[in-house]
Amino acid sequence: MSKLFLYVAETYHTKDTDAEITIKDEITQEELAKLNEAFKVCNLYHSITQIKDIVIENGESYKRYMSKQNLQEISRHHIPPERAVTLANKAVLNYASSIKTYIDMETRILRKKASQTALDSFNNICHTFYDKHIEYRFWSNFRNYIVHCEFPYTIFQGSIETGCKIICTKEHLLQFDNWKHSKEDIIKMDEPVDLPALVDNMSSLIYALYIDFFSYFATDIIKGIETYGDFCRRYDVKNPVIFKTENKDKLIGNHMQPLPIKELKASFDILKSNPNISISIK
């Protein structure tokens, strides 16, 4: 197998031209391996950020669908009642399912990539949220309600003047006999039940879990920032990329490896935003 030569290059961006790349120095396989290790947290950043965004976007989509303005549009466009109810149930199911997926995904990542202490801490936070927040209790039990009982929306009321109403009742919800601690919460809710009102605080709790997630990888993130900073100073680069070639005399057209700097810095910024984390960079 031919030897692979590695080079660090500087990337320059201007308003008027495409990116310009200047080869700076040759680097070793060991240096590249160390640099790649610095960015290992970026894969976790992609996974957890994507599911966090999905949860929040699903919540916003559900609220938009159930908004007075949209319900008026449903009436104006003569959407069949069965279809309108189905879309409401679809929207709320998407939100509830994505919440469970977030919890399951973070649990899986922590179990595989972090320590048992980190997993225990995450579970303790979830238990605290469950005990203190009606929204967390409700959505934690809601998906089981759909799986084992029924969809929440079954009633459609149409009005030319005010638009339609798609209704969830307490009686309908309480047909499920395994709401656990949410049963008393539901009994105390107004009639009809305003499920979209339970979205914002739940999405905020998911975001709090998201911020906390990065604390379990604080050592990796900070070490990554330090390693990347040392590399940039050593080779006097600000926006480095790595060139790989088997021919030292022909660099043009060979493989270029961008570095996920944006994701590493984003992870670091999230870590800094955690009020429980104190950071000291060498």
Side-chain angles (χ1 to χ4, degrees):
M1 184 176 179
S2 301
K3 179 181 177 181
L4 192 64
F5 297 96
L6 305 172
Y7 296 88
V8 59
E10 177 71 282
T11 307
Y12 301 94
H13 295 277
T14 64
K15 293 182 179 180
D16 301 325
T17 64
D18 294 332
E20 297 180 2
I21 298 175
T22 301
I23 302 295
K24 299 283 287 187
D25 290 286
E26 186 174 357
I27 65 172
T28 66
Q29 288 282 0
E30 291 74 17
E31 286 178 297
L32 179 59
K34 187 176 181 181
L35 194 59
N36 287 335
E37 180 71 10
F39 291 104
K40 68 179 183 179
V41 73
C42 295
N43 288 333
L44 303 181
Y45 169 84
H46 278 298
S47 297
I48 203 68
T49 299
Q50 189 170 46
I51 186 58
K52 179 267 296 181
D53 289 344
I54 288 172
V55 172
I56 292 174
E57 289 170 13
N58 280 349
E60 292 303 308
S61 294
Y62 170 49
K63 289 196 303 175
R64 280 195 300 271
Y65 183 82
M66 296 300 295
S67 68
K68 182 177 180 180
Q69 180 181 5
N70 187 62
L71 294 179
Q72 288 175 337
E73 288 296 312
I74 288 174
S75 294
R76 188 174 297 117
H77 290 91
H78 306 291
I79 304 297
E82 296 83 1
R83 180 60 178 164
V85 170
T86 295
L87 291 175
N89 284 321
K90 175 184 176 182
V92 71
L93 176 60
N94 284 345
Y95 182 58
S97 297
S98 61
I99 290 170
K100 186 177 188 305
T101 301
Y102 179 94
I103 300 299
D104 290 347
M105 183 176 290
E106 181 162 345
T107 299
R108 174 182 57 80
I109 292 174
L110 294 179
R111 183 176 288 124
K112 186 175 181 180
K113 300 291 186 179
S115 64
Q116 183 61 44
T117 300
L119 182 59
D120 290 343
S121 176
F122 169 68
N123 287 332
N124 287 337
I125 293 173
C126 291
H127 293 153
T128 298
F129 284 175
Y130 186 95
D131 291 340
K132 291 187 175 182
H133 297 277
I134 180 177
E135 296 87 353
Y136 196 95
R137 288 193 296 274
F138 180 84
W139 292 114
S140 294
N141 294 314
F142 182 80
R143 189 173 176 276
N144 283 336
Y145 158 73
I146 289 182
V147 170
H148 298 290
C149 187
E150 180 60 276
F151 282 106
Y153 294 112
T154 58
I155 300 173
F156 180 95
Q157 294 179 350
S159 170
I160 297 176
E161 292 79 14
T162 61
C164 69
K165 292 182 180 180
I166 301 174
I167 296 173
C168 170
T169 67
K170 291 193 290 185
E171 179 183 7
H172 187 65
L173 291 178
L174 292 171
Q175 290 177 6
F176 184 46
D177 59 6
N178 196 27
W179 276 110
K180 301 177 182 177
H181 301 89
S182 293
K183 181 176 181 179
E184 289 301 316
D185 297 330
I186 294 170
I187 291 172
K188 295 176 183 178
M189 290 178 182
D190 293 333
E191 191 77 270
V193 178
D194 185 4
L195 295 183
L198 301 175
V199 168
D200 284 347
N201 195 38
M202 184 64 210
S203 293
S204 295
L205 294 173
I206 290 294
Y207 189 75
L209 292 176
Y210 171 75
I211 296 296
D212 177 71
F213 171 83
F214 291 88
S215 68
Y216 305 125
F217 300 95
T219 299
D220 292 333
I221 294 170
I222 293 172
K223 185 177 179 181
I225 288 289
E226 291 176 341
T227 299
Y228 173 68
D230 289 342
F231 181 85
C232 289
R233 286 188 291 272
R234 186 182 313 123
Y235 291 104
D236 190 26
V237 290
K238 294 182 179 179
N239 299 293
V241 294
I242 306 300
F243 268 89
K244 301 178 181 181
T245 181
E246 294 180 356
N247 186 349
K248 296 183 69 172
D249 299 321
K250 186 181 179 182
L251 297 180
I252 297 176
N254 284 285
H255 178 65
M256 181 177 69
Q257 176 187 330
L259 300 173
I261 301 162
K262 180 180 177 181
E263 291 82 356
L264 181 62
K265 289 182 176 178
S267 299
F268 183 65
D269 288 340
I270 294 168
L271 188 64
K272 287 194 299 182
S273 72
N274 189 327
N276 299 315
I277 299 293
S278 178
I279 298 175
S280 177
I281 298 292
K282 296 178 182 178

